[in-house]
Amino acid sequence: MKKTLKNLFLVSATISSLSLQGCTTPHRNEGISNLIMNNVVRMYVNWGEYPDKAWSPASYNVAANYYHWNENSIQYRWIWPQANLRRDLYGVVNEMAMVPDEIPFLRHGDLVDVYLPPFETYNYGEMRAPIVIRFVCSADDDACQDKSKKELGGKNEVVSKGKPDLSGFTFTKKFDKTGKRLVPLR
């Protein structure tokens, strides 16, 4: 019994250690990367916007430092969308995405289309990151959510291949360098 508990403890400690190590550097699955890179993916908003302060992943995710999150980054709108892919390849995608002025305030569960540039080009301080290009529907619009799922063959899937035209989007600083809102929520 003692040996079994000791082995269980060692396995648990090893798994915990490995999971913590996995948090220190961004992990990429090559198959998923090849599927989504430089394409538009339908995603749901996992962590939405705050009405009164900037959203900064730096306190939640070491990847924010890896991709050069800085005080310039925090002044813009950001969300953390997620895609649970099932149709073309099974996998989960989580990427911080910049929100242009043209997109309404986003809440948890809303569906959005996100352009995901090649990962090696990400630099949040220089505003080179995934971009929300379309608000699809709100989290509480069941009919729209169901329609989207039927059209795509899954809730979150690749919507289109290649880089879309991003010239119609503007990005205005909404927060000061400390994360306080400059512009009232519209």
Side-chain angles (χ1 to χ4, degrees):
M1 176 74 173
K2 270 187 170 178
K3 189 172 183 175
T4 303
L5 286 175
K6 183 179 177 183
N7 287 341
L8 182 61
F9 176 75
L10 289 173
V11 168
S12 177
T14 302
I15 290 171
S16 296
S17 173
L18 290 173
S19 68
L20 288 174
Q21 289 174 9
C23 292
T24 60
T25 55
H27 172 73
R28 300 281 182 228
N29 174 290
E30 189 175 348
I32 296 291
S33 296
N34 291 338
L35 175 67
I36 65 170
M37 193 169 26
N38 207 34
N39 292 324
V40 176
V41 177
R42 176 92 19 104
M43 304 176 89
Y44 73 90
V45 178
N46 196 10
W47 288 24
E49 297 181 79
Y50 297 120
D52 57 349
K53 64 180 180 176
W55 186 86
S56 172
S59 60
Y60 303 107
N61 188 343
V62 177
N65 290 331
Y66 182 82
Y67 290 123
H68 315 291
W69 190 268
N70 63 25
E71 64 183 22
N72 181 53
S73 311
I74 201 171
Q75 295 182 284
Y76 295 90
R77 294 172 61 197
W78 294 89
I79 60 165
W80 195 336
Q82 179 173 321
N84 297 318
L85 305 168
R86 302 286 188 268
R87 182 188 63 203
D88 298 321
L89 188 62
Y90 181 84
V92 176
V93 178
N94 289 291
E95 296 294 331
M96 294 169 274
M98 199 170 179
V99 183
D101 298 344
E102 293 77 11
I103 302 293
F105 184 80
L106 297 171
R107 292 176 173 83
H108 175 76
D110 290 348
L111 282 182
V112 292
D113 288 345
V114 179
Y115 168 63
L116 299 167
F119 297 123
E120 64 274 4
T121 66
Y122 286 20
N123 185 316
Y124 293 121
E126 295 176 2
M127 315 321 289
R128 288 186 284 128
I131 297 173
V132 176
I133 64 164
R134 181 174 167 240
F135 172 78
V136 178
C137 51
S138 65
D140 58 359
D141 187 343
D142 293 336
C144 179
Q145 296 255 348
D146 290 344
K147 181 180 176 187
S148 172
K149 187 175 180 178
K150 287 177 186 170
E151 287 174 353
L152 289 179
K155 183 174 182 177
N156 309 122
E157 302 295 341
V158 173
V159 175
S160 64
K161 302 269 185 186
K163 183 177 180 179
D165 180 11
L166 302 173
S167 64
F169 294 113
T170 56
F171 300 90
T172 307
K173 291 182 178 183
K174 305 290 187 208
F175 306 94
D176 66 18
K177 291 181 180 184
T178 67
K180 292 181 184 167
R181 186 171 283 282
L182 296 171
V183 179
L185 191 62
R186 51 180 172 122

